[in-house]
Amino acid sequence: MDIQTIKNRFGIIGNSDHLNFAIKVAMQVAPTDMTVLITGESGVGKESFSKIIHQLSARKHGQFIAVNCGAIPEGTIDSELFGHEKGSFTGAYDARKGYFEVTDGGTIFLDEIGEMPLQTQSRLLRVLENGEFIRVGSSKVVKTDVRVVAATNVNLIQAVEKGKFREDLYYRLNTVPIFVPPLRDRGEDIELLFRKFTSDFAEKHHVNPIKLTEGAKTALMAYRYPGNIRQLKNLAEQISLLEMEREVDKDILLKYLPQEGNMMPALYKSNEGSAGGDKSNFSERDILYKILFDMRNDVEELKKLVHNVLKNENYGEEILKDNEDLFEVKQNEFKENADGIRTPYLLDSRKEEDSASDSFNIEDYQDADHEIEEESLSLEKKEKEMIERALSKNQNKRKYAARDLGISERTLYRKIKQYDL
C-alpha cells in the first residue's frame, strides 16, 4: 500500500513532508517484530501510528491494547501489566491476568512510557529481553510473545540523566524511533484538518459548515497550537457551535484563539471606585515597572529594618550613613574595649590577597597604659581618633586606611573633610 492509502484507511489528514516520512517509517517497520518508540508532543496523534504498525504486521489478527502508563497509579501498575495472584495484596480476591499475558501474540501500546515507575521499568526490560515476567505475588515465570510499541511526549534522554528513566530500557525501546511532528510544523495541514472537523460537525448536527476568509486562514495557520490536533478540533467545534454566521473572518477567529507570548502572571485591575471603569489590560512594560517598583519598596523596607536594628544597638544614625554603600555587610564582629564600650568592627566583604596580612585590628590602636577619659565616650571623638590612627598607620594613604576601617574611600573622604583632618 502507498502512503495515501494508509492515510485514507486510518483517517490521517495532511500532506506535510514530516508527516509523510513518519508514516513511511511506520510502514517499513510494521512487518517486523522490532520495538518502536514514538515521540512527539501531546495531541499529535501518536496512537494512530501504533495502530498502523499493528494492522500492517503479522500480528493484526492478535489483540491490540493501548495502556496509558501515566493514568495508572504506581501501586497497581505492576498488577495491571503483569497480573497478580489471589491474596497477593489487599483486595486481590482472585487471580488476574495482566495485559502482557492477555495480548500474547498481539501488540501492546504503552503510551506515556516516561511516566512509568522505575520498578516497573525493570520488569518491562525483562519482558523485552527474554519474553518472560512474573505475576505479582507469584514465583512462577510466565512466557509471552508480545510486540511493544511505546510513546512519550517527554525527552527520555533528559529523564535518563535525571535518574527517572532506565538507560538500558531507553536503548531497548528506541530500536526504531518515529517522530510525529507538531501541528505548527505541518503548514497547510492545519487548514485541511480544520475543514475536516467543521465538516464532521456540520454533518453530525445538520448545519452548514464553517467557511474561513483568506485573512482568517492566515491567522489560523499562524497560531502555534500547543495542544496540537486536539486543540484544533476543539476550536473548530466551538466556532461551529457558537457562531451564527457561517463565514468567519480574521477578527472573529482571533476571539477564539488564546493569546500567546505572555507567560507572566496575569494582573487583576480592580474597577471599584474608578470613575470611568477602566478595563484596560496591563502591557508587559507596565508589569515590569510594577515588579521593579515592588522590589524598590522591599529594599527600602529592608534598609529601614537595618536602621532600626543598629539604632537599638546604640550605634547611632551617623554610623549607618557612613556605611550606606556597604548595604550587605558580610560579618559584624564586636570587641569590647577596656571600659566595656562596644565598638563596631565592620569587615570589608572584598577579598583581596594583599589585605590578608594588613587587615584592621582595633587592638593596634589601644595602649595598655592609656586610660580613656569620660569625654572619649562620644562616638564622633572615637571615630575621629580611629581615622587618625588608620591614616597614621598607612602613611596617609587613604585607600589603605579606608580598607582597614572597613569603609569606602568616598566615605573616608567625607569624614576627613568633616573632622578637618
Side-chain angles (χ1 to χ4, degrees), residues 43-60:
V44 296
K46 296 186 289 294
E47 186 172 350
S48 298
F49 286 82
S50 67
K51 293 178 180 179
I52 293 175
I53 294 172
H54 174 70
Q55 291 296 330
L56 298 184
S57 70
R59 300 173 180 267
K60 61 183 179 180

Side-chain angles (χ1 to χ4, degrees), residues 31-220:
T32 71
D33 280 336
M34 301 176 70
T35 305
V36 180
L37 178 62
I38 305 174
T39 59
E41 298 178 4
S42 178
V44 296
K46 296 186 289 294
E47 186 172 350
S48 298
F49 286 82
S50 67
K51 293 178 180 179
I52 293 175
I53 294 172
H54 174 70
Q55 291 296 330
L56 298 184
S57 70
R59 300 173 180 267
K60 61 183 179 180
H61 299 296
Q63 191 163 359
F64 173 85
I65 292 182
V67 181
N68 189 333
C69 299
I72 304 177
E74 184 175 349
T76 61
I77 188 170
D78 286 353
S79 172
E80 293 289 330
L81 294 179
F82 308 108
H84 63 261
E85 296 293 339
K86 180 180 179 179
S88 57
F89 55 87
T90 303
Y93 301 111
D94 295 304
R96 177 185 179 278
K97 292 182 178 181
Y99 295 135
F100 276 96
E101 193 170 354
V102 172
T103 56
D104 187 18
T107 304
I108 184 169
F109 173 57
L110 300 177
D111 197 9
E112 305 300 340
I113 190 70
E115 304 295 329
M116 180 178 287
L118 288 172
Q119 181 180 356
T120 309
Q121 293 178 26
S122 61
R123 287 175 173 264
L124 175 60
L125 182 62
R126 185 177 181 183
V127 175
L128 295 176
E129 292 182 344
N130 303 322
E132 59 185 27
F133 62 92
I134 299 176
R135 286 184 180 182
V136 177
S138 174
S139 59
K140 181 181 178 180
V141 176
V142 181
K143 289 285 187 178
T144 186
D145 178 22
V146 177
R147 181 179 191 175
V148 175
V149 178
T152 181
N153 63 349
V154 301
N155 191 325
L156 290 184
I157 293 293
Q158 294 181 359
V160 169
E161 294 175 352
K162 295 178 180 178
K164 296 182 179 180
F165 200 83
R166 292 178 62 101
E167 185 177 8
D168 47 3
L169 177 60
Y170 167 73
Y171 289 113
R172 188 65 181 81
L173 289 171
N174 199 32
T175 306
V176 179
I178 295 178
F179 173 71
V180 183
L183 185 59
R184 59 180 172 273
D185 294 339
R186 291 175 54 179
E188 296 181 356
D189 290 356
I190 298 175
E191 182 186 351
L192 295 176
L193 286 166
F194 184 85
R195 283 186 357 209
K196 173 66 167 59
F197 295 145
T198 53
S199 298
D200 291 345
F201 183 89
E203 183 179 354
K204 180 179 179 179
H205 297 279
H206 307 289
V207 296
N208 294 326
I210 290 291
K211 294 182 180 180
L212 299 177
T213 63
E214 291 300 322
K217 292 179 181 178
T218 302
L220 183 74

Side-chain angles (χ1 to χ4, degrees), residues 1 8 63 69 106 133 177 204 215 244 271 282 290 302 313 317 349 354 379 403:
M1 291 183 289
N8 296 336
Q63 191 163 359
C69 299
F133 62 92
K204 180 179 179 179
M244 302 303 296
N271 295 325
F282 286 95
K290 185 180 186 305
L302 184 58
E313 292 292 341
E317 297 183 0
S349 60
D354 57 345
L379 283 174
R403 184 175 61 191

Side-chain angles (χ1 to χ4, degrees), residues 210-267:
I210 290 291
K211 294 182 180 180
L212 299 177
T213 63
E214 291 300 322
K217 292 179 181 178
T218 302
L220 183 74
M221 292 187 291
Y223 188 71
R224 293 185 59 81
Y225 298 99
N228 291 291
I229 298 176
R230 188 181 297 116
Q231 181 182 7
L232 180 64
K233 183 178 180 180
N234 292 341
L235 174 68
E237 292 181 349
Q238 186 179 15
I239 295 177
S240 299
L241 175 65
L242 299 179
E243 286 300 322
M244 302 303 296
E245 296 293 335
R246 295 290 89 184
E247 185 175 63
V248 175
D249 58 15
K250 179 180 177 180
D251 294 335
I252 296 176
L253 179 66
L254 290 178
K255 293 191 302 182
Y256 294 91
L257 292 176
Q259 296 297 320
E260 290 187 304
N262 188 359
M263 302 302 294
M264 301 185 71
L267 296 177

Side-chain angles (χ1 to χ4, degrees), residues 366-372:
Q366 294 179 346
D367 295 330
D369 299 331
H370 178 68
E371 295 184 359
I372 303 176

